[in-house]
């Protein structure tokens, strides 16, 4: 139980996928303009990352290793992730069309989000069990959600600030992300 807790805290806070490993920056910067859109993207990433961690761990451990085809892991992982993203996309289009439209092009980009593929590969490299891999995937997604919601909150507040013209737009967003990254290094002593 202690090991699972260490994996969860490490993935969510200490080794935050966006602010420490710099994976998944495209949706982080693109969808963090509004709090509700950022939370929706976070929810979609939680679902995809958790389920993809489960599926890729099972496929790798019980299919690829027994038949000696571990070298196909990247291709298989991408196919699994793409299928899961399609499920999320169909669900949102049918059940929550406003969020589907708000996420726009960033929803299909979860398929190519290097954070999702990165977690699946990290689970294999660290030789996590299926449970440990799922916990790592879920905690990583929670860390992504924390980062994107914090950024969205800051960006909503920055809209009302007097920012010099040279820093308006993406420069101030990148500076904010840099400061958030520095702040998250303070969690490095937790694990």
């Amino acid at each position: 139980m202690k090991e699972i807790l260490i994996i969860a805290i490490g993935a969510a806070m200490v080794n935050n996928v966006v602010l420490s490993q710099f994976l998944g920056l495209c949706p982080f910067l693109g969808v963090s303009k509004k709090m509700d859109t950022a939370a929706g993207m976070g929810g979609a990433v939680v679902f995809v990352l958790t389920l993809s961690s489960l599926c890729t761990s099972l496929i790798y451990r019980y299919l690829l290793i027994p038949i000696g085809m571990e070298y196909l892991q990247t291709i298989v992982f991408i196919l699994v992730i793409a299928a899961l993203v399609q499920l999320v996309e169909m669900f949102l289009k049918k059940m929550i069309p406003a969020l589907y439209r708000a996420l726009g092009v960033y929803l299909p980009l979860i398929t190519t989000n290097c954070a999702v593929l990165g977690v699946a590969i990290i689970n294999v490299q660290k030789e996590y069990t299926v449970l440990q891999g799922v916990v790592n995937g879920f905690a990583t997604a929670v860390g992504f959600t924390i980062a994107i919601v914090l950024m969205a909150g800051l960006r909503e507040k920055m809209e009302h600030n007097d920012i010099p013209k040279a820093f308006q737009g993406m420069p101030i967003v990148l500076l904010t992300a840099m400061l958030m990254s520095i702040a998250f290094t303070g969690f490095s002593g937790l694990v």
Side-chain angles (χ1 to χ4, degrees):
M1 185 63 182
K2 180 180 175 184
E3 188 174 325
I4 297 291
L5 187 62
I6 289 172
I7 290 171
I9 292 171
M13 302 303 280
V14 177
N15 298 315
N16 186 286
V17 71
V18 175
L19 300 173
S20 296
Q21 297 177 7
F22 308 111
L23 297 173
L25 290 175
C26 180
F28 174 72
L29 296 173
V31 183
S32 62
K33 292 177 184 168
K34 300 279 182 224
M35 188 76 87
D36 55 343
T37 310
M41 175 59 95
V45 169
V46 166
F47 177 79
V48 169
L49 243 171
T50 304
L51 216 53
S52 70
S53 293
L54 173 67
C55 293
T56 55
S57 291
L58 290 172
I59 289 171
Y60 184 79
R61 183 174 298 271
Y62 299 112
L63 181 66
L64 295 180
I65 290 177
I67 62 174
M69 296 188 147
E70 297 94 336
Y71 59 89
L72 291 176
Q73 74 181 11
T74 305
I75 294 169
V76 171
F77 291 174
I78 290 172
L79 291 173
V80 168
I81 292 164
L84 290 171
V85 170
Q86 285 301 308
L87 286 172
V88 169
E89 194 169 358
M90 288 186 304
F91 173 79
L92 289 179
K93 189 174 186 179
K94 181 79 173 166
M95 304 304 277
I96 315 171
L99 180 59
Y100 174 78
R101 285 189 300 278
L103 292 176
V105 71
Y106 295 101
L107 186 58
L109 282 178
I110 295 175
T111 301
T112 58
N113 187 342
C114 53
V116 180
L117 180 61
V119 168
I121 292 174
I122 287 170
N123 289 343
V124 169
Q125 288 176 341
K126 291 190 174 184
E127 299 179 357
Y128 284 157
T129 65
V130 174
L131 176 63
Q132 290 171 332
V134 171
V135 168
N136 184 47
F138 177 76
T140 299
V142 168
F144 176 87
T145 304
I146 289 169
I148 198 169
V149 168
L150 283 173
M151 176 59 91
L154 291 170
R155 285 180 79 172
E156 284 183 358
K157 293 282 187 188
M158 283 189 288
E159 287 180 11
H160 306 293
N161 293 344
D162 186 27
I163 298 171
K165 187 165 178 73
F167 288 104
Q168 290 177 357
M170 196 49 68
I172 195 70
V173 172
L174 292 174
L175 285 171
T176 304
M178 176 202 62
L179 292 172
M180 287 174 62
S181 179
I182 291 170
F184 266 68
T185 60
F187 292 120
S188 61
L190 285 176
V191 179

